[in-house]
Structure formats: structure tokens, C-alpha cells
């Protein structure tokens, strides 16, 4: 299992397996145009994708930027110039990513390849009371900008 540090924020799933991710437009956002799921997840599509939506268990590629509500960036695949690849819907990432990308089958629609979405992930769908590696504090709401890339 990989540990989370301030220099390595390819973050771990709080359940203990796989990687977690992050991304968003920051503390200046007032979230008025966002939709809210019963889980507390907020989302806003900034670009509708034209490709297919992901299916549970599929390997997908995403670019992202993750911020705290203070606006502090804690991770960005754009800065590394390397998208994150992971299996969606099987808890390799935080629950807020699974729900925010795959959808929930009711209120949250799935993203489509080529799409961009902002996510506001409450602590319960992120790292909860434990936080992560000294980078993400306990009970932190996480902001993400996520871009679902096409298959290679």
C-alpha cells in the first residue's frame, strides 16, 4: 500500500486499496449552479462529453486537480502530465469519485468520455475523520475538476 505524503498525493482509498484522486475550481466558487445528490455530493458539468459513459469495473483515465475549500491545491495530474488510470466503481478511489464519475443510477448521471465535471465531495465520501497523509485534514470537503479521457 502506498502512503500519502505532501510530495506524493496519488492518494489512497480510505478503505485501504487502490488509489484516490482529487480535482476542482476553488474557494471562489459559490456552488449555486451545482446539483446536489442525496449523498451530499455536488456536481456541475462544465463540458458534456461526446463519448460513451464508463461502466462499473472498467479501467478509465482521468485528468484532475484537487483542492481544499481554502483553494489550496493538494494534487493535480495535469501538473504531472500523466492522467490517473483506475477501475471505476470498485472502490479503488474515494466514494465521491465513484459516484461523481460513474453516477449513482438515479440522481447523478454518469460522465461521458471527453466530459469535464466539477465535484464537491463531502468528507463522508472522501477521507472522513481521518484525513489523508497530513495533506488532507480530517473532515475536509474536497473540490475536484475531473476530465474523463477516452480510451487509449
Amino acid at each position: 500500500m502506498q502512503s500519502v505524503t505532501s510530495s506524493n498525493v496519488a492518494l489512497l482509498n480510505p478503505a485501504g486499496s487502490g488509489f484516490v484522486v482529487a480535482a476542482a475550481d476553488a474557494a471562489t466558487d459559490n456552488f449555486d449552479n451545482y446539483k446536489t445528490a442525496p449523498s451530499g455530493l455536488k456536481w456541475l458539468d462544465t463540458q458534456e462529453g461526446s463519448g460513451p459513459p464508463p461502466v462499473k469495473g472498467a479501467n478509465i483515465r482521468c485528468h484532475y486537480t484537487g483542492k481544499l475549500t481554502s483553494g489550496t491545491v493538494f494534487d493535480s495530474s495535469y501538473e504531472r502530465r500523466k492522467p490517473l488510470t483506475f477501475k471505476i466503481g470498485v472502490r479503488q478511489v474515494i466514494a465521491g469519485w465513484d459516484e461523481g464519475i460513474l453516477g449513482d443510477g438515479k440522481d447523478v448521471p454518469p460522465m461521458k468520455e471527453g466530459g469535464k465535471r466539477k465535484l464537491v465531495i463531502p468528507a463522508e465520501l472522501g477521507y472522513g475523520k481521518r484525513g489523508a497523509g497530513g495533506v488532507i485534514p480530517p473532515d475536509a470537503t474536497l473540490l475536484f475538476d475531473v476530465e474523463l479521457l477516452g480510451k487509449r
Side-chain angles (χ1 to χ4, degrees), residues 88-101:
I88 190 72
V90 296
R91 296 292 302 190
Q92 285 190 348
V93 294
I94 56 174
W97 266 56
D98 278 341
E99 183 177 342
I101 295 170

Side-chain angles (χ1 to χ4, degrees), residues 35-39 41-43 96 98-111 117 119:
K35 295 178 184 171
T36 304
S39 66
L41 174 78
K42 294 181 186 302
W43 79 96
D98 278 341
E99 183 177 342
I101 295 170
L102 189 59
D104 66 357
K106 299 174 284 187
D107 301 297
V108 183
M111 289 183 72
R117 181 174 282 181
L119 301 173

Side-chain angles (χ1 to χ4, degrees), residues 19 22 30 36 39 52 77 80 90 97 107 109 123 134 138 143 145 150:
F19 292 94
N30 62 15
T36 304
S39 66
S77 66
R80 287 190 304 279
V90 296
W97 266 56
D107 301 297
L143 309 177
D145 287 322

Side-chain angles (χ1 to χ4, degrees), residues 120-131:
V120 179
I121 299 178
E124 300 77 32
L125 298 177
Y127 294 98
K129 294 189 181 307
R130 74 180 189 115

Side-chain angles (χ1 to χ4, degrees), residues 1-5 8-23 64 66-68 74-75 84 91-97 121-144:
M1 181 181 294
Q2 185 175 353
S3 63
V4 178
T5 67
N8 176 15
V9 201
L11 304 173
L12 299 175
N13 177 325
S17 64
F19 292 94
V20 150
V21 287
Y64 64 92
K67 297 180 184 182
L68 302 175
F74 60 84
D75 195 13
L84 181 70
R91 296 292 302 190
Q92 285 190 348
V93 294
I94 56 174
W97 266 56
I121 299 178
E124 300 77 32
L125 298 177
Y127 294 98
K129 294 189 181 307
R130 74 180 189 115
V135 178
I136 298 173
D139 297 316
T141 296
L142 306 175
L143 309 177
F144 290 92

